[in-house]
Amino acid sequence: MTRCVVNVATGDHYRRGQVRLRGDVSAFDEGAEFMGWTDPLPNGWPSHSDVPYGFKAFSLVEAAKTHRFLLWCDAAIRVVRPLEPLWERISRDGYWLALKDPWTNYQWTAESAYPHLFPDMP
């Protein structure tokens, strides 16, 4: 399988969201696999208290071992229509960043990370 929706959900509230997200992905995208982790995190992964949101990077690295295209979705995400146009965009551009919320990628990503995240960009 080349497409994978990735999620980590720790705690009851987020685990319920992960179950819902898995169902949404199944309903709207038969071609994508869903990889989700919950408590306890796999051995070697940092806890959220040690490395805030570090589990996101670890889960994406794990999913990339068996999938070509990855889509991170937080547990609060609702899939409301087929994901095919999004997968096409990711395939064409190599990435997709959601920028329609009040926070920008710049506010959440260290500038020093950009060369590693986008090595082919000038």
Side-chain angles (χ1 to χ4, degrees), residues 67-82:
H67 298 84
R68 181 163 181 206
F69 300 105
L70 309 176
L71 177 62
W72 171 268
C73 289
D74 284 334
I77 296 293
R78 295 301 313 258
V79 179
V80 297
R81 60 180 163 257

Side-chain angles (χ1 to χ4, degrees), residues 1-7 25 29 31-37 59-60 62-64 66-73 83 87 90:
M1 217 171 265
T2 62
R3 298 173 176 179
C4 185
V5 175
V6 182
N7 173 266
V25 170
D29 193 337
E33 184 174 341
F34 183 90
M35 292 181 77
W37 291 267
S59 64
L60 289 167
E62 189 63 30
T66 54
H67 298 84
R68 181 163 181 206
F69 300 105
L70 309 176
L71 177 62
W72 171 268
C73 289
L83 295 173
W87 290 121
I90 292 168

Side-chain angles (χ1 to χ4, degrees), residues 15-119:
R15 280 194 298 271
R16 286 191 301 274
Q18 184 185 71
V19 169
R20 185 190 60 231
L21 176 61
R22 182 186 303 266
D24 286 352
V25 170
S26 177
F28 285 100
D29 193 337
E30 293 178 9
E33 184 174 341
F34 183 90
M35 292 181 77
W37 291 267
T38 62
D39 295 317
L41 294 175
N43 288 335
W45 289 24
S47 69
H48 181 63
S49 59
D50 289 337
V51 180
Y53 304 104
F55 55 75
K56 290 184 179 189
F58 278 75
S59 64
L60 289 167
V61 167
E62 189 63 30
K65 292 177 182 177
T66 54
H67 298 84
R68 181 163 181 206
F69 300 105
L70 309 176
L71 177 62
W72 171 268
C73 289
D74 284 334
I77 296 293
R78 295 301 313 258
V79 179
V80 297
R81 60 180 163 257
L83 295 173
E84 186 61 31
L86 184 54
W87 290 121
E88 289 173 4
R89 184 172 179 175
I90 292 168
S91 177
R92 181 189 71 227
D93 299 341
Y95 65 94
W96 173 72
L97 298 173
L99 298 175
K100 289 189 175 185
D101 62 30
W103 306 102
T104 66
N105 190 56
Y106 179 78
Q107 291 170 295
W108 289 98
T109 306
E111 212 170 292
S112 60
Y114 283 106
H116 303 286
L117 293 170
F118 307 107

